């Protein structure tokens, strides 16, 4: 809705309460954390930093950090994924494009791809919104495992408990 130029008090905040059922917003200061304990290990030299773990709608948003080159994973998404490269670069072996710093990537539902970080990349950080599930496969599509928002929540709780932040540190990201 455009700003009403006739509004005599444009800087006056909205004066009514939000619906009781509305969930609180999430604001994550320093989304790229300086405290390494916030990064949850996912595999050797691979971590994620949760930003939103939406259990009610089945998606998650996180930063993925990789400090190794080579194949990270081969997986399929039944729903769309959005990514934005903050640092470094990566590609999918199935495509000829490369996602570099500042690139936005849309991954369509149904695609299976193999994430690869080039040899000369010391660190890659990408913001991802993953809807539904990541279904890990071999090159011929045989299932090898999966991740969803609930496995992500479980990984976070176990990690944060182990590093002294407490399992409930995870709760701030859950909606």
């Amino acid at each position: 809705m455009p700003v009403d130029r006739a509004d005599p008090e444009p800087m006056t905040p909205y004066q009514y309460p939000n619906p009781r059922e509305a969930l609180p917003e999430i604001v994550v200061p320093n989304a790229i954390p300086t405290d390494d304990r916030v990064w949850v290990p996912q595999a050797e030299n691979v971590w994620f930093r949760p930003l939103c773990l939406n259990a009610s709608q089945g998606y998650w948003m996180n930063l993925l950090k990789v400090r190794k080159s080579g194949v990270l994973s081969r997986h399929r998404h039944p729903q769309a994924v959005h990514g934005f490269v903050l640092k470094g670069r990566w590609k999918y072996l199935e495509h000829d494009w490369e996602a570099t710093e500042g690139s936005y990537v849309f991954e369509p539902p149904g695609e299976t791809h193999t994430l690869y970080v080039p040899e000369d990349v010391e660190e890659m950080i990408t913001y991802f919104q993953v809807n539904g599930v990541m279904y890990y496969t071999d090159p011929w599509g045989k299932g090898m495992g999966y991740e969803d928002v609930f496995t992500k929540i479980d990984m976070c709780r176990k990690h944060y408990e182990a590093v002294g932040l407490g399992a409930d540190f995870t709760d701030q990201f859950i909606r």
Side-chain angles (χ1 to χ4, degrees):
M1 176 187 228
V3 174
D4 180 2
R5 301 290 179 207
D7 184 348
E9 299 183 50
M11 294 300 293
T12 300
Y14 184 65
Q15 297 298 301
Y16 296 102
N18 287 320
R20 281 187 321 157
E21 298 79 11
L23 297 172
E25 60 279 332
I26 298 174
V27 177
V28 181
N30 303 312
I32 300 176
T34 55
D35 183 347
D36 282 340
R37 297 176 304 163
V38 176
W39 291 100
V40 179
Q42 185 165 307
E44 185 178 350
N45 294 312
V46 179
W47 302 264
F48 71 93
R49 190 267 201 266
L51 298 170
C52 177
L53 302 165
N54 196 309
S56 65
Q57 294 184 16
Y59 69 83
W60 70 94
M61 297 177 174
N62 66 197
L63 299 181
L64 179 69
K65 177 169 74 169
V66 179
R67 287 191 176 154
K68 70 173 188 174
S69 61
V71 170
L72 180 61
S73 72
R74 183 182 307 99
H75 55 271
R76 177 182 177 103
H77 302 284
Q79 296 182 14
V81 171
H82 301 270
F84 185 78
V85 183
L86 300 171
K87 184 177 182 182
R89 65 188 204 285
W90 54 271
K91 65 176 285 160
Y92 288 131
L93 296 181
E94 297 77 11
H95 298 290
D96 59 0
W97 52 262
E98 185 174 72
T100 58
E101 286 184 26
S103 294
Y104 164 76
V105 177
F106 168 75
E107 301 175 11
E111 181 170 289
T112 303
H113 40 241
T114 309
L115 196 152
Y116 172 78
V117 177
E119 301 272 335
D120 60 338
V121 175
E122 290 183 25
E123 183 175 77
M124 179 276 279
I125 300 177
T126 299
Y127 165 79
F128 281 109
Q129 178 186 345
V130 181
N131 299 291
V133 69
M134 283 184 54
Y135 179 68
Y136 295 103
T137 73
D138 70 10
W140 299 274
K142 181 180 176 190
M144 300 176 65
Y146 73 93
E147 286 183 338
D148 63 15
V149 69
F150 302 104
T151 63
K152 290 292 194 185
I153 289 170
D154 188 49
M155 291 168 70
C156 289
R157 288 195 191 287
K158 288 177 182 172
H159 170 70
Y160 293 141
E161 184 68 30
V163 299
L165 294 172
D168 60 349
F169 186 80
T170 307
D171 294 347
Q172 66 186 301
F173 307 114
I174 299 173
R175 293 295 181 270

